[in-house]
Short mmCIF file of all heavy atoms in Angstrom, two decimals:
data_model
loop_
_atom_site.label_atom_id
_atom_site.label_comp_id
_atom_site.label_asym_id
_atom_site.label_seq_id
_atom_site.Cartn_x
_atom_site.Cartn_y
_atom_site.Cartn_z
N VAL O 3 -30.56 268.79 99.37
CA VAL O 3 -30.00 267.51 99.07
C VAL O 3 -30.52 267.02 97.72
O VAL O 3 -29.77 266.41 96.94
CB VAL O 3 -30.28 266.51 100.19
CG1 VAL O 3 -29.85 265.08 99.81
CG2 VAL O 3 -29.57 266.92 101.49
N VAL O 80 -27.62 254.57 111.99
CA VAL O 80 -27.35 255.34 110.80
C VAL O 80 -28.16 256.67 110.83
O VAL O 80 -29.38 256.64 110.99
CB VAL O 80 -27.78 254.54 109.55
CG1 VAL O 80 -27.49 255.35 108.27
CG2 VAL O 80 -27.06 253.22 109.52
N VAL O 81 -27.44 257.78 110.65
CA VAL O 81 -28.09 259.06 110.59
C VAL O 81 -28.43 259.29 109.14
O VAL O 81 -27.53 259.16 108.25
CB VAL O 81 -27.17 260.16 111.13
CG1 VAL O 81 -27.81 261.56 110.96
CG2 VAL O 81 -26.75 259.91 112.60
N THR O 82 -29.66 259.65 108.86
CA THR O 82 -30.09 259.86 107.49
C THR O 82 -30.61 261.31 107.34
O THR O 82 -30.82 261.98 108.30
CB THR O 82 -31.24 258.87 107.08
OG1 THR O 82 -32.36 259.12 107.91
CG2 THR O 82 -30.78 257.41 107.23
N CYS O 83 -30.82 261.69 106.07
CA CYS O 83 -31.41 262.94 105.80
C CYS O 83 -32.47 262.74 104.72
O CYS O 83 -32.61 261.65 104.16
CB CYS O 83 -30.35 263.95 105.29
SG CYS O 83 -29.51 263.51 103.75
N SER O 84 -33.22 263.80 104.44
CA SER O 84 -34.24 263.75 103.41
C SER O 84 -33.80 264.61 102.23
O SER O 84 -32.92 265.47 102.39
CB SER O 84 -35.60 264.21 103.95
OG SER O 84 -35.58 265.61 104.16
N ASP O 87 -33.83 268.41 102.91
CA ASP O 87 -32.86 269.00 103.83
C ASP O 87 -31.89 269.95 103.12
O ASP O 87 -31.52 269.69 101.98
CB ASP O 87 -32.05 267.98 104.61
CG ASP O 87 -32.88 267.21 105.67
OD1 ASP O 87 -33.95 267.71 106.01
OD2 ASP O 87 -32.41 266.15 106.10
N THR O 88 -31.51 271.00 103.82
CA THR O 88 -30.57 271.95 103.19
C THR O 88 -29.14 271.45 103.30
O THR O 88 -28.83 270.63 104.21
CB THR O 88 -30.65 273.33 103.88
OG1 THR O 88 -30.19 273.21 105.24
CG2 THR O 88 -32.05 273.92 103.83
N VAL O 89 -28.30 271.94 102.44
CA VAL O 89 -26.87 271.57 102.43
C VAL O 89 -26.28 271.98 103.77
O VAL O 89 -25.50 271.22 104.39
CB VAL O 89 -26.14 272.22 101.24
CG1 VAL O 89 -24.66 272.14 101.40
CG2 VAL O 89 -26.62 271.58 99.93
N ASN O 90 -26.62 273.14 104.25
CA ASN O 90 -26.07 273.63 105.52
C ASN O 90 -26.44 272.73 106.69
O ASN O 90 -25.59 272.44 107.57
CB ASN O 90 -26.48 275.07 105.80
CG ASN O 90 -25.82 276.06 104.90
OD1 ASN O 90 -24.85 275.77 104.23
ND2 ASN O 90 -26.38 277.26 104.84
N SER O 91 -27.69 272.29 106.75
CA SER O 91 -28.13 271.45 107.86
C SER O 91 -27.43 270.07 107.83
O SER O 91 -27.02 269.54 108.84
CB SER O 91 -29.64 271.26 107.90
OG SER O 91 -30.12 270.49 106.85
N VAL O 92 -27.30 269.51 106.64
CA VAL O 92 -26.59 268.23 106.47
C VAL O 92 -25.13 268.35 106.83
O VAL O 92 -24.56 267.50 107.52
CB VAL O 92 -26.80 267.65 105.07
CG1 VAL O 92 -25.94 266.42 104.83
CG2 VAL O 92 -28.29 267.32 104.83
N MET O 93 -24.51 269.42 106.38
CA MET O 93 -23.09 269.64 106.69
C MET O 93 -22.88 269.76 108.20
O MET O 93 -21.96 269.21 108.79
CB MET O 93 -22.59 270.92 105.99
CG MET O 93 -21.12 271.17 106.17
SD MET O 93 -20.38 272.46 105.12
CE MET O 93 -21.62 273.69 105.01
N ALA O 94 -23.80 270.46 108.87
CA ALA O 94 -23.71 270.60 110.34
C ALA O 94 -23.83 269.26 111.03
O ALA O 94 -23.09 268.95 111.99
CB ALA O 94 -24.76 271.57 110.81
N ARG O 95 -24.76 268.44 110.58
CA ARG O 95 -25.00 267.12 111.20
C ARG O 95 -23.80 266.21 110.98
O ARG O 95 -23.39 265.45 111.90
CB ARG O 95 -26.30 266.52 110.68
CG ARG O 95 -27.50 267.25 111.27
CD ARG O 95 -28.77 266.91 110.57
NE ARG O 95 -29.11 265.52 110.58
CZ ARG O 95 -30.01 264.97 109.74
NH1 ARG O 95 -30.65 265.72 108.87
NH2 ARG O 95 -30.26 263.72 109.80
N MET O 96 -23.23 266.25 109.79
CA MET O 96 -22.06 265.42 109.48
C MET O 96 -20.84 265.86 110.34
O MET O 96 -20.14 265.02 110.85
CB MET O 96 -21.70 265.46 108.01
CG MET O 96 -22.68 264.77 107.12
SD MET O 96 -22.25 265.03 105.37
CE MET O 96 -22.31 263.36 104.75
N SER O 97 -20.69 267.14 110.45
CA SER O 97 -19.57 267.67 111.25
C SER O 97 -19.72 267.29 112.72
O SER O 97 -18.78 266.87 113.36
CB SER O 97 -19.44 269.19 111.09
OG SER O 97 -19.09 269.50 109.76
N ALA O 98 -20.94 267.47 113.21
CA ALA O 98 -21.20 267.16 114.62
C ALA O 98 -21.03 265.70 114.96
O ALA O 98 -20.49 265.32 115.99
CB ALA O 98 -22.62 267.61 115.03
N GLY O 99 -21.46 264.82 113.98
CA GLY O 99 -21.34 263.39 114.18
C GLY O 99 -20.03 262.79 113.78
O GLY O 99 -19.79 261.60 113.98
N ARG O 100 -19.19 263.57 113.13
CA ARG O 100 -17.86 263.17 112.64
C ARG O 100 -17.96 261.98 111.70
O ARG O 100 -17.24 260.99 111.85
CB ARG O 100 -16.93 262.90 113.84
CG ARG O 100 -16.70 264.15 114.67
CD ARG O 100 -15.73 263.94 115.77
NE ARG O 100 -14.46 263.34 115.39
CZ ARG O 100 -13.39 264.00 114.94
NH1 ARG O 100 -13.45 265.30 114.81
NH2 ARG O 100 -12.27 263.38 114.65
N PHE O 101 -18.89 262.05 110.76
CA PHE O 101 -18.99 261.01 109.73
C PHE O 101 -19.02 261.68 108.38
O PHE O 101 -19.33 262.88 108.26
CB PHE O 101 -20.16 260.07 109.93
CG PHE O 101 -21.51 260.76 110.15
CD1 PHE O 101 -22.28 261.13 109.07
CD2 PHE O 101 -21.96 261.01 111.42
CE1 PHE O 101 -23.49 261.74 109.26
CE2 PHE O 101 -23.19 261.63 111.66
CZ PHE O 101 -23.95 262.00 110.53
N ARG O 102 -18.72 260.94 107.30
CA ARG O 102 -18.56 261.52 105.99
C ARG O 102 -19.59 261.10 104.97
O ARG O 102 -19.54 261.57 103.82
CB ARG O 102 -17.18 261.18 105.48
CG ARG O 102 -16.03 261.76 106.37
CD ARG O 102 -14.70 261.35 105.84
NE ARG O 102 -14.49 259.92 106.13
CZ ARG O 102 -13.38 259.31 105.85
NH1 ARG O 102 -12.40 259.89 105.26
NH2 ARG O 102 -13.29 257.99 106.14
N MET O 104 -23.87 260.14 104.32
CA MET O 104 -25.23 260.14 104.87
C MET O 104 -26.25 259.60 103.84
O MET O 104 -26.36 260.22 102.78
CB MET O 104 -25.63 261.53 105.32
CG MET O 104 -26.94 261.58 106.07
SD MET O 104 -27.43 263.27 106.59
CE MET O 104 -26.28 263.51 107.96
N PRO O 105 -26.91 258.50 104.16
CA PRO O 105 -27.95 258.04 103.25
C PRO O 105 -29.12 259.05 103.21
O PRO O 105 -29.43 259.68 104.21
CB PRO O 105 -28.40 256.72 103.88
CG PRO O 105 -27.26 256.32 104.75
CD PRO O 105 -26.70 257.58 105.27
N ILE O 118 -19.54 264.09 102.42
CA ILE O 118 -19.10 265.43 102.84
C ILE O 118 -18.48 266.16 101.65
O ILE O 118 -18.61 267.33 101.50
CB ILE O 118 -18.14 265.40 104.07
CG1 ILE O 118 -18.01 266.79 104.69
CG2 ILE O 118 -16.81 264.79 103.75
CD1 ILE O 118 -19.23 267.37 105.31
N ILE O 121 -21.23 267.68 99.65
CA ILE O 121 -21.82 268.78 100.40
C ILE O 121 -20.89 270.03 100.26
O ILE O 121 -21.36 271.12 99.92
CB ILE O 121 -22.00 268.45 101.89
CG1 ILE O 121 -23.03 267.28 102.01
CG2 ILE O 121 -22.46 269.65 102.69
CD1 ILE O 121 -24.45 267.56 101.54
#
Side-chain angles (χ1 to χ4, degrees):
V3 171
V80 182
V81 177
T82 63
C83 64
S84 72
D87 287 345
T88 66
V89 168
N90 288 345
S91 71
V92 171
M93 185 167 39
R95 289 167 56 198
M96 289 175 131
S97 295
R100 299 183 51 87
F101 51 86
R102 297 177 289 182
M104 186 180 287
I118 194 67
I121 299 296

